[in-house]
Amino acid sequence: EEYLISKKGLVPEVARGASIIEEVDDGRARYYEVRHQPCCKFRVIIPLETPWIAADYESQEQANAAWRERVGAVAHMLGLNHDQSCADTSRLFYLPRIKTSDSLYEFHTSFGMPCPIWTLPPIPATDDPPDHGRSGSRSRPHHVTDLDGNTVDLKRWAARYARRFEIVTALRTNAPEIFGDRRNGVKHHIECPCVEDHITDQTTRTGTFCVNASQVDRADLPQIKSGFVIQCSHAGCARTDRLGFLAALLRKGCLTANDLTDEAFLTSEVTTPIDDETWPPDVASENPDSTTTVPGPDEAEPDEAGPQRFVRASNIPPALYTGLPDVLGEMHTWLCKTSPKPQPPLLLGACLAFMAAAIGQRVKLEHFQIRPNLYALGVAYSGAGKERGLSGLKEIARAAGAWNLIGVEEMASDAGIVTSVFKQPAQVMLLDEVSYLIQSTHNAKAGAHVQNITATLLKLYSASATTYQSKSYADIDRIKVIDQPCVSMYGCSTPDGLFSALQSKDITSGLLSRCVLFHAGDHDPLGMPPADLPVPDRVVAWVKAWRRVNPVPNPLHVQDGMPVLNPMTIRMTQEALDIATDFEAEMHALKQVARARGTDALYVRARENALKFALVRACAVYARSTEGVPEVDRES
């Protein structure tokens, strides 16, 4: 009775008078079949206000994760401990079964509104997650003692060794009896270390597998990039992570604490520690330090040997912000030096977006007629330094007397955006925590003025070489027409915030193909006193020079009552044209491959964005001075 109550979570009324009716001993373990009082089951069916559709997500894994989190949110709201199998999207639930037509069976209907499952608040984070009827939680073990009496802190161990641990090799050497006959590639099936938590199938060695760290890239587990793996598909193990399974293996004697650091069970070291003294690299150096990979979230605690950190590489390699030309390089260097937590990849995106606005409506690219407007997203952990790009661009605009370059900073409605762009057609929008904006536009309860923000951004981006016309109104005086708007955007977000806000329709709508991601990876530098430097004079002169260029060279040339813009043409060399052609062919091939996954829309504007970057880079030449007045060096 005590076991059923403490381990299986049965209430005392059900466990009372329980007895063993059958015993099975297979030579490795002993199992019991127990008879207890009837255990009533309750199935709660809740109609949803809006459905869960797997096709709305980029992958099945993301779809399953979203459903699992929402089921938990509903259970938390109702104060219930839900069966973990409810979160399994592959299960089909039948109506309750009864022995005979006379068996007790009740069905009650409570009338009310459908459940708004997608707008419910998330489960609040706590140090001690709910136990769902079981004693204790192994989701985050720390200090574990093996059968030899040796204690290991698994979190500290994981920070140093988890990415190298060959768990299959260690278990084959120390506990070969736990392996089953089933093997799927590099996945070796074993008896679950936490088998006592399984409700069914306690005698089989299926449903639980492990993978060596050296073979994880061949395990067909796209969500896991590095480190050893132990996974169990049984509902009883839904809250147990790999360190929880490892702790169980230590407690049962399948492994010892010494096995975890035995070089026989570790791959060779593949990571390079990055010292705080050498990061960030000198942005003016030709050979900056590169980044490397870090342990996963359950391995974030530093090793006791010293303050080494391992950094997952940014998607922007250092070569892209090394040796930047003229104003682009000087602006980027200044932003890095004046940042308390320099993030060179993100600051490159900030520079490009600002400079695109500064030359907006004034240049176009030969052959393609492309304008420089671009949407850049800077992604880094909270408090990792992503804010410097926002504040630094404001300082540059203020120093150059070009404050009107700074446009929308908070989007409340689509009409508000249009009004701002009508007043200043060349601007850079600076958006902090852009994920909140994206999320709000997807909210079914949001007003049309919010939901239409995305559509407005898409139209403004595409209208840079033509005209933009606002909504049609009965009062034609309210209709706004903007000739060749050049709206750029630099938005910041945390990785979790951005990727949880995005939906599959952001791919098909074209929003993501218009945006370029500048991801800091896992680089989270220590804060340092920033250099107190003014905005460089040559940066200020460059901004002033381009703002002096009149986008309407002939004020007498009027069409439909509006002066006609005629941006100067930036020529392309044959080499540049060949590169663009080859790049388009490469992206076209990738687009065709991605079509089967429904992500082909991501590639349709790759060449266009690349040409926009090239256009900004070409216009980064220092301004020249004529009688003390900065002017654009058109010849260069």
Side-chain angles (χ1 to χ4, degrees):
E1 293 182 20
E2 181 181 352
Y3 176 84
L4 293 176
I5 295 172
S6 62
K7 289 292 186 179
K8 295 301 181 181
L10 298 184
V11 295
E13 291 79 7
V14 175
R16 184 176 63 251
S19 60
I20 298 173
I21 60 175
E22 186 176 351
E23 178 179 338
V24 177
D25 189 346
D26 63 0
R28 292 184 297 266
R30 183 172 297 172
Y31 304 93
Y32 300 94
E33 185 175 341
V34 178
R35 174 175 291 148
H36 53 73
Q37 299 297 322
C39 180
C40 296
K41 289 189 176 181
F42 299 91
R43 185 156 294 162
V44 181
I45 303 173
I46 305 176
L48 301 182
E49 185 177 68
T50 53
W52 171 86
I53 302 175
D56 288 343
Y57 298 86
E58 184 174 348
S59 66
Q60 187 66 42
E61 290 79 7
Q62 291 183 8
N64 292 345
W67 176 253
R68 186 181 307 111
E69 188 274 333
R70 288 291 84 194
V71 169
V74 173
H76 178 77
M77 178 192 68
L78 297 176
L80 300 176
N81 293 322
H82 66 288
D83 188 337
Q84 294 298 299
S85 62
C86 295
D88 188 346
T89 60
S90 65
R91 291 187 181 240
L92 176 63
F93 288 91
Y94 296 91
L95 293 175
R97 293 176 294 176
I98 55 177
K99 288 184 177 182
T100 67
S101 59
D102 297 330
S103 300
L104 180 63
Y105 171 70
E106 296 184 21
F107 188 94
H108 296 282
T109 301
S110 297
F111 294 95
M113 300 295 293
C115 176
I117 188 172
W118 304 112
T119 58
L120 295 177
I123 301 176
T126 60
D127 294 333
D128 299 313
D131 198 28
H132 299 292
R134 297 179 179 89
S135 60
S137 173
R138 288 189 300 275
S139 61
R140 290 291 180 192
H142 295 286
H143 295 85
V144 180
T145 302
D146 64 15
L147 296 186
D148 294 335
N150 298 318
T151 300
V152 59
D153 184 337
L154 287 181
K155 288 194 69 176
R156 287 188 175 274
W157 170 84
R160 185 170 185 180
Y161 295 107
R163 296 179 66 239
R164 302 171 54 200
F165 188 49
E166 300 285 87
I167 186 168
V168 176
T169 305
L171 289 175
R172 288 282 187 193
T173 303
N174 295 280
E177 68 278 1
I178 73 170
F179 284 85
D181 297 330
R182 184 180 177 187
R183 177 176 174 179
N184 182 12
V186 297
K187 300 175 183 176
H188 298 255
H189 284 253
I190 62 173
E191 179 181 296
C192 179
C194 305
V195 67
E196 62 274 7
D197 276 357
H198 293 185
I199 299 173
T200 60
D201 296 333
Q202 294 188 344
T203 61
T204 63
R205 289 175 173 80
T206 60
T208 305
F209 65 85
C210 55
V211 181
N212 279 333
S214 62
Q215 298 174 316
V216 71
D217 59 333
R218 291 183 281 138
D220 194 24
L221 299 169
Q223 73 276 20
I224 300 177
K225 303 301 183 184
S226 64
F228 76 98
V229 176
I230 308 182
Q231 287 190 0
C232 179
S233 60
H234 288 87
C237 292
R239 296 180 298 112
T240 306
D241 63 11
R242 61 178 179 174
L243 295 188
F245 292 122
L246 194 59
L249 290 170
L250 289 169
R251 295 190 186 100
K252 291 185 174 183
C254 298
L255 294 174
T256 68
N258 292 331
D259 291 332
L260 302 185
T261 55
D262 190 332
E263 288 296 330
F265 307 136
L266 298 172
T267 64
S268 58
E269 181 62 74
V270 294
T271 55
T272 303
I274 295 180
D275 190 90
D276 284 325
E277 297 296 325
T278 61
W279 184 269
D282 182 357
V283 294
S285 169
E286 292 296 323
N287 297 298
D289 293 337
S290 60
T291 55
T292 181
T293 337
V294 289
D298 58 350
E299 306 153 16
E301 204 165 307
D303 178 56
E304 293 179 318
Q308 293 180 335
R309 291 181 295 111
F310 296 92
V311 183
R312 179 173 290 117
S314 164
N315 70 321
I316 308 296
L320 292 182
Y321 52 78
T322 300
L324 295 172
D326 293 6
V327 171
L328 182 57
E330 191 163 350
M331 183 184 298
H332 184 258
T333 299
W334 176 77
L335 286 172
C336 288
K337 289 183 176 180
T338 56
S339 174
K341 294 185 175 183
Q343 291 283 11
L346 273 66
L347 295 176
L348 174 61
C351 290
L352 291 169
F354 179 83
M355 294 176 69
I359 63 176
Q361 294 189 309
R362 289 155 175 80
V363 296
K364 61 184 177 183
L365 190 62
E366 185 184 20
H367 301 301
F368 299 95
Q369 303 302 311
I370 282 176
R371 272 47 170 189
N373 61 306
L374 56 93
Y375 293 167
L377 298 178
V379 179
Y381 291 124
S382 179
K386 60 182 181 293
E387 299 83 5
R388 179 53 185 159
L390 302 172
S391 61
L393 298 186
K394 293 180 183 180
E395 291 182 42
I396 296 172
R398 184 181 296 108
W403 185 253
N404 58 354
L405 279 179
I406 306 300
V408 176
E409 293 189 62
E410 186 172 348
M411 297 183 182
S413 69
D414 56 331
I417 298 173
V418 174
T419 299
S420 174
V421 177
F422 184 75
K423 293 181 178 178
Q424 179 53 40
Q427 62 170 263
V428 57
M429 299 184 292
L430 302 180
L431 306 176
D432 193 12
E433 300 300 344
V434 69
S435 59
Y436 294 141
L437 170 66
I438 298 173
Q439 198 168 34
S440 64
T441 61
H442 294 323
N443 189 342
K445 292 187 175 181
H449 61 287
V450 174
Q451 296 182 8
N452 290 336
I453 286 177
T454 299
T456 300
L457 293 176
L458 298 179
K459 290 173 61 179
L460 285 170
Y461 182 97
S462 301
S464 60
T466 178
T467 56
Y468 173 89
Q469 181 170 307
S470 66
K471 297 177 184 178
S472 298
Y473 296 98
D475 183 359
I476 60 174
D477 292 335
R478 295 178 58 191
I479 300 176
K480 293 181 172 62
V481 179
I482 308 170
D483 188 19
Q484 302 179 44
C486 191
V487 178
S488 292
M489 177 180 70
Y490 177 67
C492 294
S493 177
T494 61
D496 289 344
L498 178 62
F499 299 132
S500 63
L502 293 173
Q503 296 184 5
S504 59
K505 62 183 178 182
D506 293 319
I507 298 178
T508 55
S509 70
L511 175 63
L512 286 183
S513 67
R514 287 167 169 80
C515 297
V516 179
L517 193 69
F518 294 81
H519 200 314
D522 282 334
H523 179 48
D524 186 1
L526 295 174
M528 63 183 74
D532 186 12
L533 300 172
V535 179
D537 291 339
R538 290 191 291 188
V539 172
V540 172
W542 181 88
V543 177
K544 289 182 175 180
W546 276 103
R547 300 317 293 167
R548 292 185 68 250
V549 174
N550 190 349
V552 185
N554 183 4
L556 299 180
H557 187 188
V558 178
Q559 185 174 348
D560 296 331
M562 297 174 57
V564 177
L565 299 181
N566 187 19
M568 70 175 73
T569 300
I570 305 300
R571 304 294 181 185
M572 291 185 68
T573 64
Q574 185 59 47
E575 181 184 7
L577 191 59
D578 292 341
I579 293 174
T581 302
D582 292 343
F583 183 67
E584 172 67 8
E586 180 183 350
M587 293 300 103
H588 183 73
L590 291 174
K591 180 180 69 174
Q592 291 180 317
V593 173
R595 187 164 293 143
R597 303 191 304 270
T599 57
D600 51 308
L602 291 173
Y603 297 90
V604 298
R605 295 185 181 273
R607 181 179 66 174
E608 181 180 359
N609 284 325
L611 290 173
K612 289 177 183 290
F613 292 155
L615 180 57
V616 173
R617 184 184 176 99
C619 295
V621 179
Y622 285 125
R624 63 186 182 186
S625 178
T626 302
E627 297 180 356
V629 178
E631 291 186 350
V632 173
D633 189 348
R634 297 177 183 242
E635 294 180 1
S636 300

